[in-house]
Amino acid sequence: MNRDQPVNTLNGLQLSSIILGAMLGLGPLMNVRFATLEAGRDAWISIILAAILILINLWIMTRVVMIYPNKTIAQIISGLMGTWLGKIGNAVNLVLSLMICAITLWYTGHIFNVYILLFTPSIVLSSCLLFVSVYTTWFDVRIIGRVVVVLFFVSFLFAIFFVPPVLQYGQIERILPIGKTGFSGIWHGMLMVMYSFAGYERFLVFAPFLDKFQGMTRSVLLSVFYVSLMFIVGAICEQLVYPILFLQKLWTPGIEYVSLVNISILERTDLIFILFWFGVLFKTHVSYFYSAVLEMKELMNAKSKTPAIVVSTIIIFATSFIKVNNVEMENWMFWTLSITVGISFIIPISIITMGWLKRKVQ
Amino acid sequence: MKRMRIIFCILLLCCLLSGCWDYAPLEDKYIVTGIGIDISEQDPMNMDISVLGISNIQANATMHGEGRTVSDALRSIQNRIDKAVLISHLKIVLISDRIAKKGIQTYLDILSRNSQIRSDTQIALVHGRAADYFVQKNFSIPIDASYYSDTFQLSETIVDPHEFFLNSILFRLSEDGKGFAIPYLRWDPKQKLLVWSGIGLFNNGFFKDTLDERETVAYYLIKGSLSRAMITIGRSSPQLPKAQAVSIRIFSPSRKLSWSDQNGVKTINLSIQLKDEIIEASPLNNRPITSQELEHLQNDVNHDLTHLLHSVMDKIQKTDRMDPFGFQEKARVQWPNWYQGDHWNEQFSAVKWKFDVQILIERFGKFI
């Protein structure tokens, strides 16, 4: 059975959930810290600006999908740039997808090792996540969509965890006076925090699987708006609660923040949050893994996904043996996601420009 | 393909079979519920860590370990027993006043870095050796860590418990000023009970001064984290010819801070409005208190409380020269040109305070 047939389609909610899941990956665990390093007390303004830029870029992406319907991003790039340049472009995309997959695996293993399963080797934890991703990818995009929708609704419940610490420790003075960092600081903060929005560019990968394009722009923009709102509210909450110097030194402010929630019926809120985060990381991992498989398939000129899945799995699994410490891991993550977001701005604008030039020449 | 799916499903279920992998029976754990930090008696360069914990052998087993750092000492405890020391259920950390004078930031730091330790672990200062507190016996035998942590909840003065949490203290240490207060506990050997004898004031992690029980009420009134307390004026004793005493219970007050700057004199006005209940007023002479007497009582309590607030603020500002309240963030916003982050403690001591206390005794109240 050929799994690339239109039977494997996504509806609007499933596509939105995939984008949302891919965005809610590693970024929100520490985006506030990076923004605070540059923008200080105005970090939340940087996050708002970043969200606006991302939404504009996503709108441009929806235009690309409307111009080239039912074509994957790899096919669009190959079509516009020619065989060899297209292959190079797809290879860059593939490398980035594989790297994000690998980093998500390292981080999952590491976070679980630190907080919950002290004695379980991180390779075991990473393999679990990889196994689930491979399994889901095997059954194609429709299954990914269904699984991710469930996690999408669960993520609503966790927004409630951001309220109690603000009530207990929040001080409005921690974000006042507004705008004191100046435009330069806010701009640098915005560039620093832009990486945390990585994942929205998966839209270009999954959009060709949409069953109907009607109302696509609205639903996709709304889902990214929802995530952006979560990031901004999260950032403001964390800034209200933590002293600025404390915030800049935390490893994962997101997890530290949730550990402040003291609800008597929940013994360890942070552990429950980390278990929830396993689902979030799975969502990120599976969407990037699926992208990597599609790009690999395009590069290999294969008819079936199977060899692409096998090769991708082997590469990602092999990276799990690389020993990296916290600082290295964070640097890898920061640069990879930053480059991904940077490219996500270049690709849609280039496609539209090149398409327009091509039409003009013709 | 169908067979493949079934095999995948079965393999997926294997991920849930975690029970037999790194299985660790509870009997093999030593669950630490309290930690005491002292200077070692043998070697003053070392510290002595005592832990109160639960194991399958003894309900409340105390262990000691010495080392140059907290980690060293904890490791020496681990090496001494054949059980895995589990620190994730830590409830309270007792720090001896002797070691607190040399600074507690290092010890709190190591606790905060341990991902197993909860952020709501309570920190308290103790008079004398912390290790002695874990071996005391009283009527509620056996004493466990809850006995110490519940002391704050069961006492007459109840404040927001977040005040004493590890994370709250770490927040204060990373702000300008770096002042904070934690409960000061004392063991009364005659009565065999634990007494919350006020609070210990810390500046930059160093133990500086103490406030007694009455002063503690005033401190938390100024800070705004008081939930309930009792204020007593006078003495009720059968030996006195005319006993005059009044005890009122105050609940979380409505308070308003206003900041003013008149000719360079920075002033903070704190107005507190309390609606309270009388717990005890003597002598009653078997008759109800008249409205005139009630008014007198109100005035007396008002005067006494205002005086208390001034004396506590004088002590903190003039003698200790620190800001344990954490007003620096507000001051930064209110007086941005005047505020100097690094010198906030000196600046705070120059701030003038005005207190406006209005107590309204509404009811005779009921004892709970």
Side-chain angles (χ1 to χ4, degrees):
Chain A
M1 186 176 139
N2 188 357
R3 298 201 170 275
D4 293 341
Q5 290 299 309
V7 70
N8 284 308
T9 53
L10 295 168
N11 60 32
L13 178 65
Q14 286 171 341
L15 178 66
S16 304
S17 307
I18 287 174
I19 297 164
L20 188 138
M23 286 178 81
L24 278 176
L26 299 165
L29 286 181
M30 60 196 77
N31 59 358
V32 190
R33 174 154 68 81
F34 281 112
T36 319
L37 285 169
E38 288 290 337
R41 294 174 198 279
D42 293 323
W44 58 280
I45 303 176
S46 299
I47 295 176
I48 290 176
L49 284 180
I52 292 168
L53 266 182
I54 295 295
L55 279 169
I56 292 169
N57 194 28
L58 194 69
W59 181 77
I60 297 170
M61 282 183 182
T62 57
R63 298 295 97 192
V64 172
V65 173
M66 297 296 246
I67 295 167
Y68 303 98
N70 297 323
K71 273 192 173 180
T72 63
I73 184 67
Q75 286 165 349
I76 297 171
I77 290 174
S78 299
L80 281 173
M81 295 171 77
T83 319
W84 284 105
L85 276 176
K87 276 197 172 177
I88 292 168
N90 286 334
V92 171
N93 261 341
L94 173 65
V95 169
L96 285 172
S97 299
L98 289 174
M99 278 184 78
I100 294 172
C101 276
I103 290 167
T104 322
L105 280 179
W106 298 344
Y107 238 90
T108 311
H110 195 67
I111 286 177
F112 270 76
N113 247 180
V114 168
Y115 287 99
I116 303 180
L117 301 164
L118 302 168
F119 305 108
T120 308
S122 61
I123 186 89
V124 175
L125 299 162
S126 308
S127 303
C128 283
L129 185 64
L130 186 60
F131 175 76
V132 180
S133 291
V134 171
Y135 174 77
T136 324
T137 308
W138 201 283
F139 294 110
D140 225 319
V141 71
R142 217 173 75 184
I143 305 299
I144 297 175
R146 284 178 190 177
V147 173
V148 167
V149 164
V150 177
L151 290 164
F152 168 75
F153 287 109
V154 173
S155 69
F156 279 107
L157 295 172
F158 276 79
I160 208 164
F161 279 153
F162 276 87
V163 180
V166 171
L167 299 178
Q168 286 157 1
Y169 303 100
Q171 266 190 51
I172 189 73
E173 288 81 13
R174 294 204 203 281
I175 57 170
L176 294 176
I178 293 164
K180 205 189 174 187
T181 322
F183 183 73
S184 161
I186 292 171
W187 180 259
H188 282 115
M190 186 199 78
L191 293 177
M192 286 286 275
V193 83
M194 199 76 105
Y195 83 93
S196 64
F197 287 86
Y200 79 102
E201 80 285 350
R202 295 301 102 184
F203 168 73
L204 281 179
V205 176
F206 287 96
F209 296 96
L210 255 181
D211 51 3
K212 52 183 177 185
F213 285 86
Q214 203 180 4
M216 169 197 71
T217 315
R218 193 183 55 195
S219 67
V220 169
L221 285 177
L222 271 177
S223 73
V224 176
F225 179 76
Y226 164 68
V227 176
S228 307
L229 197 69
M230 273 179 75
F231 281 15
I232 293 159
V233 171
I236 293 175
C237 287
E238 285 174 43
Q239 280 199 270
L240 287 174
V241 167
Y242 288 116
I244 190 160
L245 288 173
F246 199 79
L247 194 59
Q248 286 169 349
K249 287 173 193 166
L250 285 174
W251 176 47
T252 50
I255 296 174
E256 298 291 335
Y257 182 87
V258 175
S259 73
L260 297 178
V261 182
N262 297 303
I263 305 171
S264 50
I265 53 165
L266 298 174
E267 183 71 5
R268 288 286 297 263
T269 324
D270 53 339
L271 300 189
I272 297 163
F273 182 73
I274 291 162
L275 283 172
F276 159 74
W277 213 258
F278 188 82
V280 169
L281 288 170
F282 162 68
K283 285 201 283 186
T284 308
H285 188 263
V286 76
S287 58
Y288 276 97
F289 185 76
Y290 190 78
S291 311
V293 166
L294 287 188
E295 281 146 11
M296 185 73 85
K297 189 186 150 197
E298 193 73 22
L299 273 180
M300 291 165 81
N301 266 335
K303 284 184 181 172
S304 156
K305 280 201 313 293
T306 315
I309 289 177
V310 172
V311 174
S312 305
T313 311
I314 291 168
I315 293 171
I316 295 167
F317 186 74
T319 59
S320 301
F321 290 97
I322 299 171
K323 296 285 175 200
V324 282
N325 61 37
N326 281 0
V327 181
E328 284 168 356
M329 200 187 295
E330 209 172 286
N331 283 338
W332 277 95
M333 186 197 79
F334 179 77
W335 287 112
T336 313
L337 296 185
S338 298
I339 293 167
T340 309
V341 172
I343 288 178
S344 78
F345 274 87
I346 296 166
I347 285 177
I349 295 168
S350 312
I351 288 172
I352 285 182
T353 318
M354 284 177 77
W356 179 76
L357 281 172
K358 219 172 182 176
R359 279 198 300 275
K360 274 273 174 194
V361 171
Q362 281 168 359
Chain B
M1 201 62 209
K2 199 176 175 185
R3 193 181 291 168
M4 277 292 284
R5 284 190 189 190
I6 293 165
I7 291 168
F8 265 124
C9 287
I10 292 167
L11 284 173
L12 196 66
L13 284 172
C14 291
C15 297
L16 302 173
L17 301 173
S18 57
C20 54
W21 183 317
D22 43 1
Y23 161 70
L26 203 58
E27 299 82 47
D28 290 350
K29 299 276 185 193
Y30 177 68
I31 303 165
V32 174
T33 51
I35 287 182
I37 303 174
D38 290 299
I39 293 174
S40 165
E41 283 179 328
Q42 279 81 30
D43 182 1
M45 296 299 283
N46 277 357
M47 64 175 53
D48 179 8
I49 297 287
S50 45
V51 293
L52 179 68
I54 302 161
S55 72
N56 63 333
I57 301 165
Q58 198 179 344
N60 290 290
T62 311
M63 300 280 298
H64 288 276
E66 278 194 23
R68 285 184 300 167
T69 60
V70 177
S71 317
D72 264 359
L74 283 174
R75 210 172 300 127
S76 76
I77 291 171
Q78 175 66 80
N79 293 342
R80 209 168 294 168
I81 53 173
D82 60 341
K83 297 177 189 303
V85 175
L86 191 72
I87 210 163
S88 57
H89 291 273
L90 182 66
K91 275 191 162 183
I92 194 156
V93 177
L94 301 180
I95 300 168
S96 76
D97 48 6
R98 195 176 153 210
I99 209 164
K101 282 176 183 160
K102 300 184 181 240
I104 62 168
Q105 190 160 359
T106 324
Y107 317 124
L108 299 184
D109 208 38
I110 180 75
L111 296 177
S112 72
R113 277 168 214 277
N114 192 321
S115 61
Q116 299 294 302
I117 293 179
R118 305 173 198 205
S119 57
D120 61 348
T121 303
Q122 290 184 337
I123 311 290
L125 185 69
V126 289
H127 180 67
R129 286 187 63 76
D132 297 342
Y133 283 71
F134 291 146
V135 292
Q136 298 296 349
K137 289 200 167 25
N138 72 348
F139 299 110
S140 63
I141 295 170
I143 291 178
D144 59 8
S146 307
Y147 178 71
Y148 296 99
S149 56
D150 290 350
T151 304
F152 316 126
Q153 300 302 319
L154 297 174
S155 72
E156 191 53 53
T157 305
I158 296 177
V159 300
D160 186 353
H162 301 99
E163 292 277 328
F164 316 133
F165 287 173
L166 173 65
N167 56 4
S168 298
I169 297 165
L170 290 167
F171 288 178
R172 291 291 297 125
L173 282 167
S174 58
E175 287 176 321
D176 297 331
K178 301 180 191 296
F180 61 90
I182 55 174
Y184 193 31
L185 303 176
R186 186 171 51 81
W187 182 263
D188 189 337
K190 283 182 187 169
Q191 295 186 48
K192 287 190 176 177
L193 56 86
L194 189 72
V195 183
W196 183 10
S197 63
I199 52 172
L201 298 175
F202 284 73
N203 188 12
N204 204 5
F206 295 91
F207 175 39
K208 289 286 177 195
D209 204 351
T210 53
L211 297 180
D212 64 21
E213 276 180 274
R214 269 172 69 80
E215 289 170 333
T216 302
V217 174
Y219 171 84
Y220 285 113
L221 265 177
I222 297 168
K223 193 165 186 203
S225 50
L226 192 76
S227 300
R228 198 183 75 180
M230 192 170 74
I231 290 272
T232 303
I233 294 169
R235 182 185 287 268
S236 171
S237 163
Q239 297 295 323
L240 293 170
K242 189 187 177 190
Q244 285 190 335
V246 59
S247 293
I248 63 161
R249 173 163 289 154
I250 54 177
F251 296 98
S252 52
S254 89
R255 59 193 283 287
K256 191 183 168 190
L257 274 172
S258 54
W259 305 67
S260 64
D261 182 3
Q262 289 174 339
N263 303 325
V265 180
K266 313 288 181 216
T267 312
I268 303 175
N269 296 291
L270 175 62
S271 68
I272 300 171
Q273 289 188 332
L274 298 154
K275 285 185 178 178
D276 303 308
E277 295 179 346
I278 295 177
I279 292 174
E280 184 179 343
S282 59
L284 285 173
N285 293 337
N286 296 325
R287 64 173 173 77
I289 295 175
T290 62
S291 57
Q292 206 176 0
E293 282 173 329
L294 204 62
E295 203 174 314
H296 279 298
L297 279 176
Q298 267 181 197
N299 291 339
D300 286 350
V301 176
N302 251 330
H303 181 263
D304 188 77
L305 198 55
T306 312
H307 180 72
L308 186 64
L309 290 171
H310 274 294
S311 69
V312 168
M313 192 50 88
D314 275 354
K315 187 176 181 181
I316 290 169
Q317 277 188 309
K318 305 290 183 294
T319 316
D320 303 326
R321 298 181 78 80
M322 59 186 282
D323 169 23
F325 306 101
F327 283 121
Q328 77 290 332
E329 287 290 307
K330 287 187 170 65
R332 186 181 56 76
V333 176
Q334 296 289 340
W335 302 316
N337 298 325
W338 179 72
Y339 178 78
Q340 294 172 326
D342 297 340
H343 302 101
W344 169 241
N345 283 339
E346 290 81 37
Q347 287 187 307
F348 181 71
S349 58
V351 173
K352 206 175 164 188
W353 279 83
K354 282 183 182 172
F355 297 105
D356 175 24
V357 184
Q358 290 179 354
I359 291 181
L360 178 67
I361 300 175
E362 278 197 320
R363 298 179 289 268
F364 292 154
K366 281 281 178 194
F367 219 102
I368 50 167

